[in-house]
Amino acid sequence: MELPQLIRLLLVTGNCDVAGWLLRVLEGAEPGSMELVRAIAPGEDASALAAGIRPDVILLDIEADGMGAIGQLGAECPAPILALAVECDGAARVRAVRAGARGVVLKRDAPGTIRKAVRKMKEGELWLDRVTTGQLLKELLASAAQPGELPAIGRIANLTERESDIVRALLGEQGASGRELAACLRISEQTLRNHFSSIYRKLGIPNRVGLVAYATRHRLSGTG
């Protein structure tokens, strides 16, 4: 039987109890699938440590560190950031994502939910509720193009036929997970992730939410 791929986690928190809580959450994971590599306090150089440890996912306690730490970590470490909070309303979730988080979980969420969010982070997906996703899409659709960027028609023309198919499939199945979308396209999840990385690079967008907004704004749902 194939062993699960180990997901290495870095926890950034000013609350020593949070590390114990996370270890209890990880106890329910499949053996060998998740490991808390290190827990560090906000006063430590989190960015330098993250670069040295090379975690797969960073869990950042925004109750202790605030939103500013998300941007600093995100600028210096490529690992996706999952924000941890005790309470987090819709506006706070949107602020966290704007700052660079790929998702938000509450510490009172079920352990299985938190482990699933971690796996989605590792797979390159987002972990957002529908309200937050809708608000972000609304903002992205309303935003104007940045001065000096390559005209949209030029960016779109750089997509391969297969990449265009994937964009159209995403628009048609916006609620689908990566696994479901890959099955619909009859490709592996890894191949889908590779295509998404190429699409993001060519269009100059960061993630699936941005891709849906971009594709909707430029009407990429057609057949040609």
Side-chain angles (χ1 to χ4, degrees), residues 116-208:
K116 184 175 181 180
V118 167
R119 286 193 294 271
K120 292 299 182 183
M121 295 290 103
K122 175 64 170 65
E123 293 169 359
E125 297 191 30
L126 302 173
W127 187 261
L128 301 173
D129 62 278
R130 292 182 180 275
V131 173
T132 304
T133 302
Q135 179 60 35
L136 288 167
L137 281 170
K138 183 179 178 181
E139 292 182 6
L140 286 166
L141 287 168
S143 65
Q146 294 296 316
E149 73 170 352
L150 181 68
I153 191 169
R155 291 177 180 243
I156 294 166
N158 284 332
L159 297 179
T160 66
E161 184 176 349
R162 189 53 164 159
E163 289 167 349
S164 296
D165 289 341
I166 288 170
V167 173
R168 287 191 287 269
L170 176 62
L171 289 177
E173 302 287 344
Q174 291 183 32
S177 67
R179 177 176 299 177
E180 292 167 340
L181 194 58
C184 176
L185 292 162
R186 298 184 179 181
I187 58 177
S188 70
E189 289 182 76
Q190 183 58 57
T191 298
L192 179 63
R193 287 194 288 272
N194 292 342
H195 280 306
F196 273 136
S197 295
S198 175
I199 293 167
Y200 298 157
R201 184 178 65 254
K202 289 178 179 180
L203 299 183
I205 52 182
N207 51 44
R208 280 179 62 166

